[in-house]
Amino acid sequence: MNLNELKDLCIEVLKDWRVIVGVLVFIIFSSLAGYVLKYRKKPRPKKVKHVPAPKPAKKEPTENEEEEPKA
């Protein structure tokens, strides 16, 4: 087998539909595997507990307020 016959044989093999389909399937699966290996979920934002503002303390009645009659 000389070099020209070998070249023709390689071209015929590469033109075969089974080889083309096999290469396409290999590329798709390898791309999918690479995506799965490199996939990272975005971190969820941490939940911040909302602390209610402290309510103002009630005023205790002073001596002056207790003596005044309420209308």
Side-chain angles (χ1 to χ4, degrees):
M1 182 178 269
N2 62 19
L3 193 58
N4 284 334
E5 291 176 353
L6 182 62
K7 182 185 72 160
D8 291 338
L9 179 64
C10 288
I11 290 173
E12 288 299 318
V13 168
L14 292 176
K15 284 184 181 180
D16 188 28
W17 67 272
R18 292 170 287 198
V19 174
I20 294 171
V21 170
V23 168
L24 291 176
V25 168
F26 174 76
I27 290 172
I28 291 170
F29 278 122
S30 62
S31 297
L32 180 64
Y35 173 76
V36 169
L37 290 175
K38 292 179 183 179
Y39 180 75
R40 299 262 188 232
K41 285 186 177 179
K42 292 181 183 178
R44 289 185 177 177
K46 293 184 178 180
K47 292 184 179 178
V48 178
K49 290 187 177 180
H50 296 286
V51 180
K55 295 182 180 178
K58 290 185 177 180
K59 283 187 175 181
E60 294 184 16
T62 59
E63 293 177 16
N64 295 338
E65 293 175 355
E66 289 177 0
E67 295 174 2
E68 295 177 9
K70 294 183 181 179

